[in-house]
Amino acid sequence: MKRWKTAWRFLPFSLLLLLLAGCGEENLTALDPKGPQAEWLLDNMLLSLYIMAFVTVVVFAIFFIILAKFRRKPGDDEIPKQVHGNTALEITWTVIPIILLVILAVPTISGTFMMADMEPDPVAGEDTVVIKVTGHQFWWQFDYENEGFTAGQDVYIPVGEKVLFELHAQDVIHSFWVPALGGKIDTVPGITNEMWLEASYDGVYKGKCAELCGPAHALMDFKLIALERDEYDAWVAGMQEGPEEPQEVIAQEGRELFGADGLGCIGCHAIGGSGTAAGPTLTNFADREVFAGYLDMDDDEMLAKWIRDPESLKQGNNMASAPYLSHDISDDEMEALIAYLRTLTILDNE
Ligand code: HEC
Ligand SMILES: [Cu+2]
């Protein structure tokens, strides 16, 4: 009894939590669709919700009517007539659910085929974009194999076009999910899964790993950036060319440190061209909104902290085993490294 009383006291908090659960991250929601797949998913969710609500209302209405109508009244001394079986009723409550299930099945089946349809659907004159996605603990690699370059953390697509994704995983199972655009599909080591997404509007869409994959799983965020076709083409050309040479002396010193004769960052972080499985390419690092999935891009101190002690900010990440960490990076060196990292832009060159 006492336990129930305590439990009830938490009810308002639980309801509040439920309310707040929707507010956490702006546009990390499937309830505000921005593409044909996500729209279909929401429509289907609502259809099943309405059908369930309808069934609940009807069943409860009948229940309460019968409760009121047939309850024991003063003077009712006899047990009512006992009935077994009623063919008409039984047919009714078998046929109605069948009809409801058919109503649900028709759009579900056609939608499932629509979402599984990996046939390219090129928009007039443009090649369909195909992107190889690889999930790593705890970051995302995006290989644009036809175009010959790799992007890390942020995936760019042209707006209004069906883009094909080939999904892989390097280490454990992850799940690729951009809620505003579509459903989630697992990335599984040794298996290639496929999906397509289309963004109806340009913009920055949040993505998240949706499969518990290790200590920093919750920080395995990424962005999908949908650009108009001409901007997208310019971005592709920029990624193929790589970032411009650093002009400032301090940034040039940073590039030395970044290289194989310095701290050896380049061993895991490609700049320009294809990347490796060892770490995200930093070709367009300065164009990101966040780094390491969640850290404020404008915060130099945070970036320095990341480079000095990545484990303290993202538990279990694979930069924490980098050999350079045994070397004390001086403040001057750090300043140079960060100055160099901040020159790594593609969007600002256009
Ligand atoms: C052993 C390989 C390795 C070495 C060496 C290495 N890193 Fe990393 N780095 C990684 C990995 C893996 C990540 C992704 C971590 C994550 O988000 O889980 C990363 C992430 C980063 C990021 C954030 C990238 C992003 O876009 O989110 C920066 C910046 C970075 N490293 C800078 C450096 C610098 C500077 C050096 C050299 C001083 C360096 N790294 C050396 C493996 C390495
Ligand atoms: Cu993951």
Side-chain angles (χ1 to χ4, degrees):
M1 202 40 212
K2 209 163 163 228
R3 224 192 296 162
W4 277 108
K5 260 194 194 151
T6 327
W8 278 112
R9 225 177 296 153
F10 284 106
L11 188 70
F13 295 105
S14 336
L15 290 177
L16 194 67
L17 268 182
L18 207 66
L19 264 175
L20 290 176
C23 308
E25 286 192 65
E26 166 222 355
N27 104 22
L28 193 73
T29 170
L31 302 180
D32 182 17
K34 295 285 192 254
Q37 245 195 64
E39 265 164 36
W40 180 87
L41 285 167
L42 182 62
D43 287 348
N44 220 37
M45 240 151 69
L46 290 176
L47 177 68
S48 43
L49 192 74
Y50 294 146
I51 289 180
M52 285 187 286
F54 169 75
V55 170
T56 310
V57 168
V58 170
V59 167
F60 273 90
I62 295 173
F63 173 71
F64 283 113
I65 288 169
I66 289 175
L67 215 58
K69 194 166 168 199
F70 297 104
R71 78 182 199 280
R72 191 170 177 185
K73 299 182 190 84
D76 282 352
D77 293 333
E78 274 171 46
I79 293 178
K81 195 175 119 205
Q82 301 294 296
V83 186
H84 293 281
N86 182 319
T87 314
L89 269 181
E90 274 164 26
I91 289 176
T92 313
W93 68 50
T94 309
V95 168
I96 292 177
I98 289 178
I99 294 173
L100 295 181
L101 285 181
V102 169
I103 294 176
L104 275 175
V106 171
T108 302
I109 291 169
S110 71
T112 306
F113 276 96
M114 181 269 289
M115 288 196 285
D117 178 11
M118 290 297 289
E119 276 302 304
D121 180 17
V123 170
E126 307 289 0
D127 286 336
T128 302
V129 176
V130 182
I131 301 168
K132 181 180 164 195
V133 176
T134 310
H136 299 267
Q137 285 171 320
F138 301 97
W139 58 279
W140 295 94
Q141 177 180 352
F142 302 106
D143 289 301
Y144 293 70
E145 286 180 334
N146 298 333
E147 293 80 4
F149 68 86
T150 303
Q153 309 289 32
D154 292 349
V155 57
Y156 287 69
I157 66 167
V159 77
E161 292 180 35
K162 179 176 178 179
V163 174
L164 309 185
F165 293 90
E166 290 172 4
L167 307 171
H168 302 257
Q170 172 71 20
D171 32 41
V172 298
I173 300 178
H174 304 271
S175 185
F176 182 72
W177 189 33
V178 186
L181 301 188
K184 50 183 100 149
I185 303 264
D186 279 3
T187 70
V188 184
I191 291 177
T192 304
N193 285 334
E194 294 179 323
M195 76 185 298
W196 64 268
L197 291 175
E198 180 179 330
S200 305
Y201 314 91
D202 60 351
V204 178
Y205 301 100
K206 282 188 181 154
K208 211 166 176 68
C209 175
E211 179 72 56
L212 180 62
C213 59
H217 154 72
L219 308 176
M220 192 169 159
D221 294 8
F222 63 98
K223 299 272 180 350
L224 182 146
I225 296 149
L227 300 176
E228 294 298 339
R229 202 12 134 146
D230 52 340
E231 292 171 40
Y232 172 77
D233 287 340
W235 178 78
V236 168
M239 289 298 282
Q240 286 167 330
E241 232 168 80
E244 279 173 9
E245 297 287 304
Q247 301 298 316
E248 281 182 276
V249 176
I250 181 166
Q252 288 167 353
E253 284 169 15
R255 186 176 55 176
E256 286 296 306
L257 282 166
F258 195 89
D261 296 331
L263 300 168
C265 318
I266 194 87
C268 295
H269 294 290
I271 294 190
S274 303
T276 71
T281 50
L282 300 181
T283 311
N284 60 341
F285 176 69
D287 296 336
R288 311 216 213 292
E289 280 180 16
V290 295
F291 68 96
Y294 79 110
L295 295 166
D296 180 8
M297 194 64 202
D298 298 327
D299 188 341
D300 276 354
E301 263 173 52
M302 194 60 87
L303 193 49
K305 187 170 180 201
W306 171 260
I307 294 169
R308 285 205 168 99
D309 186 9
E311 178 71 16
S312 69
L313 293 170
K314 204 171 182 182
Q315 211 191 344
N317 86 80
N318 289 322
M319 181 153 141
S321 63
Y324 79 86
L325 287 168
S326 57
H327 168 99
D328 273 328
I329 303 177
S330 71
D331 287 349
D332 287 347
E333 285 177 321
M334 186 56 80
E335 205 184 320
L337 263 179
I338 290 178
Y340 173 56
L341 289 173
R342 298 235 177 265
T343 67
L344 300 171
T345 166
I346 296 300
L347 292 178
D348 287 351
N349 291 344
E350 287 157 13

